[in-house]
Amino acid sequence: MISSLSGYRLLVAYSNNSTFTATTAEYLNSLRHYLSATVHYLHVTLDAKPVVDLSRYDAVLFSYCARLCIPGYVSEKFLRLMDRYEGVRAIAIQDEYDSVEIERKGLDRLRPHVVFTCVPPDQREAVYPSSRYPNTSFVQVLTGYMPNQHPMRHATRPIASRSIYLGYRGRDIGPRYGRLGLMKAEIGRVVGKAAVRRGLPCDIAMDEASRIYGDAWYEWLGKCRCVLGSESGSNVFDFDGSIAEGCAKAGTKPLPEALQGRIDELDGSFSIGQASPRIFEAAMMGTAMALYRGRYSGILEPDRHYIPIEVDHSNLDEVLDRVQDAKELQAMADRARADLIDSGRYSYAAFVDIVQHALTRALGDRPPRGGIAKTYPSITKLSDPPLDEMPTSEPRHFDSFQLRHLLRQLQTTGPSGRLKRLKPTRIQRLIDKVRGKKRL
């Protein structure tokens, strides 16, 4: 077996439409920053027309944003190229409880050597039967990691100096995702109401208008002594898509008894509660956490890393007493930061080590393919044809996707309506904006 990926090439298949999310951009960029192989990127979703010679690549990795569980989302042209591809095939999957059988049929076609999964090993057979994937290696990963370097990493304040005792941002996502989904709204309502009765300074909201993004999110975390939270993910695996369909049909009305019964049954059959990237963000900012007791991918210990809230709220008075103890909160936040952030165990560099090891094993004794694999820049001027997707040395910024989508509309349908009023000079300004983007 080879000991390094130096000299090898990896093509990352991704969706440029998803790079507006910081965690997705960080995930994609971590591969080129830390992998010893040469890494190229190719946008493959939303009717993309990829122009690429896959024979120049030793391995192809589908990012989790190139979702096979959505029919037609990944370009059929690219899937046909993959049908003939003879190198190592790998895929990272998240939200594995959505449209399970469609995802599995996608895996049947892809025939991956490696699947990076969030499903724990003790429950994997129910989702990915070994009889169906006898030649596939399933590797456990988290839903997100922490960048090794972050501009807000050292912008922390002592907990006693912070003005918000309890903070939370969440949303009500309805019954589709079962108990874990309902808890995202429940923790804000129940704990928030009890904290207000105690007279604690709180900033708790679950409406879309109150959501916080970018650096403002870290600044807000830095003002909170403690934040609420719950496990991410869902234990309700929708194998045939009928649960999502039934919930959509019900809308805001109560679910039919039979559908609710199926959701409850599945909710009790799995336990895959995940630690979301928000856990790392709070730890990085030195903010204590009060969370529903749960699995959290096995990386959090109650009373060491967070104040546990029982799901029946039976210890709520004790929780609110502890939230007011700045000394205890500081000690807990310091432990969480030391274990989750400063240790480096959950950094993107550590994640890429997992990827490198899995790809190295899958490559076995295969020598590098060699030859030349060309990469192309983003669009730099209005006259740049074609708009086919070609490999790049880094993932494109989201503005680049918007620009290319606009130019493709102009190219295929001609100017009409709003596009007709968009003058070439304005399009060129967007191009210039894309060229000036600071890369992650």
Side-chain angles (χ1 to χ4, degrees):
M1 186 177 74
I2 60 175
S3 58
S4 169
L5 293 181
S6 179
Y8 289 81
R9 288 196 196 96
L10 170 70
L11 181 68
V12 179
Y14 76 108
S15 177
N16 193 182
N17 189 41
S18 297
T19 54
F20 72 94
T21 304
T23 51
T24 300
E26 289 162 357
Y27 177 99
L28 292 169
N29 278 287
S30 70
L31 296 166
R32 69 184 178 94
H33 288 319
Y34 303 116
L35 207 62
S36 62
T38 298
V39 180
H40 295 166
Y41 298 85
L42 185 68
H43 168 63
V44 299
T45 65
L46 299 171
D47 298 320
K49 298 178 180 179
V51 178
V52 60
D53 182 359
L54 292 184
S55 68
R56 298 298 188 183
Y57 294 93
D58 302 284
V60 174
L61 168 64
F62 277 63
S63 167
Y64 64 81
C65 58
R67 303 187 69 191
L68 294 177
C69 68
I70 302 175
Y73 188 62
V74 177
S75 161
E76 177 61 26
K77 183 174 181 180
F78 184 70
L79 291 175
R80 288 174 184 167
L81 292 176
M82 289 299 300
D83 289 342
R84 303 190 296 272
Y85 178 61
E86 297 180 352
V88 168
R89 299 174 297 279
I91 183 171
I93 313 176
Q94 292 190 11
D95 301 337
E96 291 161 274
Y97 35 80
D98 284 333
S99 303
V100 179
E101 185 56 27
I102 294 176
E103 183 80 55
R104 294 194 297 202
K105 287 179 179 178
L107 294 181
D108 293 342
R109 180 175 180 179
L110 184 62
R111 298 168 291 118
H113 297 86
V114 181
V115 172
F116 297 101
T117 175
C118 298
V119 178
D122 61 341
Q123 296 162 77
R124 198 170 293 154
E125 186 67 20
V127 183
Y128 305 113
S130 54
S131 59
R132 188 166 178 174
Y133 308 105
N135 301 313
T136 299
S137 172
F138 289 86
V139 179
Q140 182 82 31
V141 292
L142 302 177
T143 60
Y145 293 80
M146 225 17 243
N148 280 37
Q149 300 296 327
H150 193 283
M152 302 293 287
R153 191 182 181 100
H154 303 293
T156 59
R157 296 161 50 193
I159 280 180
S161 69
R162 303 184 186 193
S163 58
I164 302 170
Y165 277 52
L166 206 55
Y168 183 63
R169 287 296 183 273
R171 66 176 72 183
D172 188 343
I173 59 175
R176 153 65 188 97
Y177 296 104
R179 185 65 182 147
L180 290 183
L182 294 173
M183 289 166 76
K184 293 181 183 301
E186 187 174 271
I187 194 169
R189 285 196 300 264
V190 176
V191 182
K193 188 178 294 185
V196 170
R197 284 200 300 267
R198 285 276 196 108
L200 299 182
C202 298
D203 185 356
I204 296 172
M206 289 169 291
D207 58 292
E208 194 63 34
S210 298
R211 296 184 71 80
I212 309 170
Y213 299 95
D215 288 345
W217 168 250
Y218 293 100
E219 292 170 3
W220 179 80
L221 280 175
K223 297 176 183 178
C224 296
R225 295 187 174 198
C226 184
V227 288
L228 299 172
S230 62
E231 293 176 294
S232 69
S234 173
N235 295 320
V236 181
F237 279 74
D238 192 359
F239 286 91
D240 59 4
S242 60
I243 292 176
E245 182 181 350
C247 289
K249 187 179 295 185
T252 58
K253 298 177 182 178
L255 297 182
E257 185 175 340
L259 177 58
Q260 185 63 61
R262 287 179 57 209
I263 291 175
D264 293 342
E265 179 183 0
L266 287 167
D267 227 346
S269 301
F270 291 92
S271 178
I272 68 156
Q274 302 290 306
S276 78
R278 284 192 170 186
I279 298 294
F280 300 117
E281 293 161 359
M284 183 188 74
M285 295 306 298
T287 303
M289 295 175 278
L291 313 174
Y292 278 133
R293 190 185 294 275
R295 183 179 185 124
Y296 295 100
S297 305
I299 69 171
L300 296 185
E301 295 180 34
D303 295 313
R304 176 173 178 80
H305 300 125
Y306 69 96
I307 298 172
I309 303 173
E310 303 301 340
V311 295
D312 62 359
H313 307 109
S314 58
N315 68 332
L316 201 49
D317 285 337
E318 176 196 345
V319 169
L320 294 178
D321 287 341
R322 296 176 72 177
V323 164
Q324 297 176 78
D325 187 339
K327 186 176 180 180
E328 182 190 3
L329 291 184
Q330 188 68 64
M332 186 170 289
D334 290 346
R335 290 192 298 269
R337 182 181 173 112
D339 293 350
L340 303 179
I341 306 301
D342 296 339
S343 70
R345 286 195 294 267
Y346 307 109
S347 68
Y348 274 110
F351 160 68
V352 174
D353 280 345
I354 296 172
V355 174
Q356 176 136 320
H357 181 70
L359 293 180
T360 298
R361 287 178 58 87
L363 283 164
D365 296 323
R366 304 184 196 199
R369 294 194 169 198
I372 297 174
K374 292 183 64 177
T375 59
Y376 299 81
S378 295
I379 294 173
T380 57
K381 57 183 182 295
L382 183 56
S383 59
D384 273 357
L387 292 178
D388 296 327
E389 297 297 336
M390 301 177 185
T392 57
S393 58
E394 57 185 306
R396 298 182 191 273
H397 195 279
F398 179 65
D399 282 341
S400 181
F401 169 78
Q402 292 181 302
L403 170 63
R404 292 171 68 80
H405 181 70
L406 174 62
L407 291 178
R408 183 171 286 117
Q409 286 182 282
L410 286 169
Q411 185 186 65
T412 57
T413 64
S416 62
R418 183 177 63 87
L419 293 177
K420 197 171 185 178
R421 298 190 296 272
L422 193 58
K423 296 183 179 180
T425 53
R426 292 185 62 193
I427 299 177
Q428 186 62 55
R429 281 200 295 272
L430 180 54
I431 292 172
D432 293 340
K433 180 182 177 184
V434 170
R435 291 177 67 188
K437 281 292 179 184
K438 182 179 178 181
R439 296 296 176 180
L440 297 174

